[in-house]
Amino acid sequence: MSNPLKIAVLVSGSGSNLQVMIDGMQAGRLPIQIVGVISNNADAYANTRTMQAGIELALLSHTQSGKRMSIATFEKHALAQIQDWSPDLVVLAGFMRVLSADFIASVPCPIINLHPSLLPHYKGLNTHARVLASGERYHGCSVHLVTAQLDAGKVLTQANLATHAGETADRLAKRVQRLEHQLVPLTLTMMASGLIDAANTSNSQIDLPLRLWFD
């Protein structure tokens, strides 16, 4: 596509994958335009990354009375903000709240999520420790479409690595995070070029999921 892919990003934490997107956009390596970031955590370092990059930040963590926003209140304001930005894609990058089926259905573009496992295996939290406890030989991360079912949407891309005997969950998490920083920009590039059609995956020009292997 000739125009950059317009992206809105939802974050809750440090925002390392957000930073990868920002760096790629600013360097001209990624054909994307981050039109805005929505954060549900006032203390998230992703907020700082967003403001340092000069990107619009919508902080939706507390109500005017000072109470933490309910998911319904968050979704109401987040949906209005997304509709105002009119992105081509919403990216969940370390966003740590489960979104409702109504919200997902109301967002006027595809939503993708980065999950730290080889889906459909190890949905949910604490994936690295669970993989090690199960004695799995392989682990990795997946980019998938967001649906009403947790971590159950169509998998678009995966990055795989071999687990190491005796490694800790923290060590494995760091190795998987390095894969994430490669998989996210690759996936976005393929979406921007039309190789992956998130709105209708049957129109994609490559077989999905695309699986990549790393040491």
Side-chain angles (χ1 to χ4, degrees), residues 112-115 117 119 141-145 154-158 183-184 187 191 209:
I112 63 172
N113 179 53
L114 174 67
H115 182 73
S117 81
L119 293 172
C141 53
S142 307
V143 174
H144 68 95
L145 293 175
K154 174 74 174 179
V155 176
L156 304 178
T157 58
Q158 290 183 323
L183 188 64
V184 169
T187 305
M191 295 179 71

Side-chain angles (χ1 to χ4, degrees), residues 127-162:
T127 60
H128 311 302
R130 290 160 58 201
V131 163
L132 292 174
S134 298
E136 298 283 359
R137 294 179 59 196
Y138 301 104
H139 188 34
C141 53
S142 307
V143 174
H144 68 95
L145 293 175
V146 173
T147 64
Q149 291 73 43
L150 180 65
D151 299 329
K154 174 74 174 179
V155 176
L156 304 178
T157 58
Q158 290 183 323
N160 304 251
L161 53 69

Side-chain angles (χ1 to χ4, degrees), residues 19-43:
Q19 190 65 58
V20 169
M21 288 185 274
I22 290 172
D23 291 345
M25 176 184 69
Q26 292 180 337
R29 296 189 303 268
L30 269 179
I32 64 172
Q33 177 190 359
I34 302 174
V35 295
V37 173
I38 297 174
S39 171
N40 72 326
N41 180 2
D43 298 321

Side-chain angles (χ1 to χ4, degrees), residues 81-102:
Q81 185 62 79
I82 290 169
Q83 290 171 334
D84 183 61
W85 285 334
S86 299
D88 303 310
L89 179 72
V90 171
V91 179
L92 308 186
F95 183 72
M96 299 305 293
R97 298 192 78 174
V98 176
L99 297 168
S100 72
D102 287 344

